[in-house]
Amino acid sequence: MEQQKKVMLSGIQPSGDLHLGNYLGPLRHWPEMIEEFDCYFFMADLHTITVRQNPADIRRRTLTQIAQYIACGLDPEKCVLFVQSHVPAHTQLAWVLDCFTMFGELSRMTQFKDKSAKNAENINAGLFTYPCLMAADILIYQPDFVPVGEDQKQHVEICRDVAVRFNGIYGDVFKVPEPYIAKVGARIMSLNAPETKMSKSLPEGCVFLMEKPEDIMRKFKRAVTDSDTERCVRYDPQAKPGVSNLIQIHAAATGKSYEVIEAEFEGKGYGAFKPAVGEAVVECLRPIREETERLLADKTYLEQVYRTGAERAAYVAGKTLRKVYKKVGFLPQ
Ligand code: ATP
Ligand code: LTN
């Protein structure tokens, strides 16, 4: 009998253009998974409106993100690619999960604390219950694994807690998924502030996937290195956060080990190292940018991809939602 494939799911919000942190953290690993697992990858557009957005930007970024997913190697024939808002079962399940998630649990979420500190004038209910929608995104496909960057681990943990709580009351409805966090690249730091993670909200320290090679080189040449007297290329995140981040980026972009990189730049200093990392990144991103541009010129193809994806996703999501509705006692239609 053919063994059933394990299921994997992940998404990224189209709230900013995709950057090197998104790529070297989770996205780069997704294509390896599509052969081995049944994979669902989506554009988490519903999540973006917890912060005020320009509507035209959401549309443009969502479409670009689909093209980028494909350009990074996610073959739409081999995995399910879709837009979150095209599958209403996510929000339907989210409401149910809202009622099984505690105020105290949500108050402890670091992302909520960070984002509400940054947007003090718009601490809306969606920002607070965001983890319930994320739990619904996940649980509705019954995945075994959720590949994300380290900063999302807490959200996957609350999702597991809610699933266990729900299963404890109604029986085994949800599979309890594991977060899956790659070691190299799990946390790419900002190029000009290596103590904070690379993020679109700090654009000078952030390299975007669609950025021109000359802009990428400029950002790497200006990258903050450390003020220690040693000035050698050595991986030591405590003493040398800036250089260690660059080593990590080089390693993730080229597949070389930290030791090989250290040996390659022994005695060469930061002046030679920074442009070399820039070049490695430019070469790593070039095929992705070119393929994304090619795909964006073919809107009909992209539309067909996300329509088919939404149909396939809705079929699976509908099954879980019907089971949940029945368990909680809603009268069947
Ligand atoms: P924000 O600026 O709102 O924090 P972001 O730019 O960090 O957003 P997200 O949409 O939150 O991007 O992240 C999408 C995915 O990329 C998540 O799985 C997240 O863990 C991962 N990720 C984001 N930034 C990094 C980073 N610097 N290093 C590694 N992974 C990252
Ligand atoms: N919260 C995530 C995006 C996201 C997600 C998900 C990731 C929304 N739903 C489900 C994995 C699984 C973020 O901000 N990066």
Side-chain angles (χ1 to χ4, degrees):
M1 203 177 78
E2 201 192 320
Q3 188 116 37
Q4 259 211 316
K5 279 186 175 176
K6 294 219 188 270
V7 178
M8 185 154 260
L9 161 135
S10 199
I12 298 182
Q13 296 188 49
S15 53
D17 295 318
L18 288 182
H19 57 73
L20 197 62
N22 303 136
Y23 180 65
L24 296 182
L27 186 49
R28 173 173 66 110
H29 298 283
W30 295 353
E32 305 155 10
M33 297 166 179
I34 59 180
E35 304 294 338
E36 199 180 335
F37 302 98
D38 267 339
C39 291
Y40 296 83
F41 296 111
F42 63 97
M43 329 300 134
D45 58 345
L46 293 170
H47 283 278
T48 64
I49 62 164
T50 53
V51 176
R52 289 285 169 266
Q53 303 281 345
N54 174 335
D57 283 345
I58 305 186
R59 267 189 294 276
R60 176 187 60 78
R61 291 198 202 113
T62 306
L63 199 68
T64 307
Q65 198 171 305
I66 300 168
Q68 286 175 317
Y69 277 15
I70 302 171
C72 288
L74 296 179
D75 178 349
E77 303 287 325
K78 294 187 177 165
C79 61
V80 183
L81 293 185
F82 65 100
V83 178
Q84 186 190 25
S85 65
H86 293 177
V87 184
H90 288 231
T91 37
Q92 291 170 297
L93 179 60
W95 168 251
V96 178
L97 299 183
D98 275 348
C99 303
F100 290 84
T101 311
M102 299 302 131
F103 183 87
E105 285 176 306
L106 292 172
S107 314
R108 285 193 290 276
M109 294 293 113
T110 338
Q111 184 171 302
F112 171 69
K113 289 193 247 174
D114 288 351
K115 291 208 171 169
S116 42
K118 279 191 206 143
N119 297 287
E121 72 301 336
N122 183 22
I123 307 178
N124 59 68
L127 193 62
F128 189 63
T129 61
Y130 178 114
C132 301
L133 178 58
M134 177 156 163
D137 298 335
I138 297 172
L139 297 177
I140 206 149
Y141 299 102
Q142 309 277 3
D144 297 272
F145 301 107
V146 185
V148 284
E150 206 165 56
D151 60 321
Q152 292 299 316
K153 197 170 165 212
Q154 203 185 23
H155 287 156
V156 180
E157 271 157 14
I158 195 174
C159 164
R160 287 167 55 85
D161 294 343
V162 173
V164 169
R165 181 173 306 139
F166 193 93
N167 287 349
I169 304 171
Y170 298 105
D172 277 342
V173 177
F174 296 123
K175 183 168 273 173
V176 182
E178 301 284 341
Y180 178 97
I181 298 164
K183 288 200 178 62
V184 176
R187 203 169 159 80
I188 303 291
M189 309 311 275
S190 163
L191 296 185
N192 63 352
E195 61 291 347
T196 49
K197 73 163 191 169
M198 181 178 284
S199 142
K200 67 218 163 215
S201 35
L202 290 166
E204 260 314 295
C206 180
V207 171
F208 295 96
L209 299 195
M210 299 303 283
E211 230 168 331
K212 291 201 220 74
E214 55 270 31
D215 293 333
I216 298 180
M217 288 305 293
R218 181 181 50 82
K219 286 182 177 174
F220 275 98
K221 284 183 189 154
R222 284 196 197 155
V224 168
T225 38
D226 309 298
S227 53
D228 60 324
T229 46
E230 193 184 65
R231 303 200 68 77
C232 77
V233 177
R234 186 169 56 79
Y235 187 78
D236 180 348
Q238 251 76 50
K240 297 156 85 78
V243 171
S244 302
N245 185 41
L246 293 176
I247 296 179
Q248 179 188 209
I249 293 174
H250 196 301
T254 58
K256 292 182 186 170
S257 70
Y258 295 172
E259 293 75 25
V260 166
I261 297 168
E262 284 171 351
E264 209 174 295
F265 289 92
E266 204 182 328
K268 291 198 184 144
Y270 301 158
F273 184 51
K274 291 201 278 186
V277 184
E279 274 158 30
V281 168
V282 166
E283 287 322 309
C284 166
L285 297 184
R286 187 189 304 281
I288 300 173
R289 178 172 42 88
E290 289 174 356
E291 181 63 1
T292 304
E293 281 163 359
R294 195 188 66 76
L295 289 163
L296 281 172
D298 190 353
K299 299 270 184 309
T300 319
Y301 170 71
L302 292 176
E303 274 167 26
Q304 176 244 313
V305 166
Y306 67 69
R307 283 209 191 106
T308 312
E311 270 170 35
R312 291 168 67 192
Y315 176 76
V316 179
K319 283 208 261 190
T320 307
L321 186 70
R322 281 194 294 281
K323 196 166 168 189
V324 169
Y325 272 17
K326 192 168 165 202
K327 290 282 185 184
V328 296
F330 297 157
L331 189 66
Q333 275 185 347

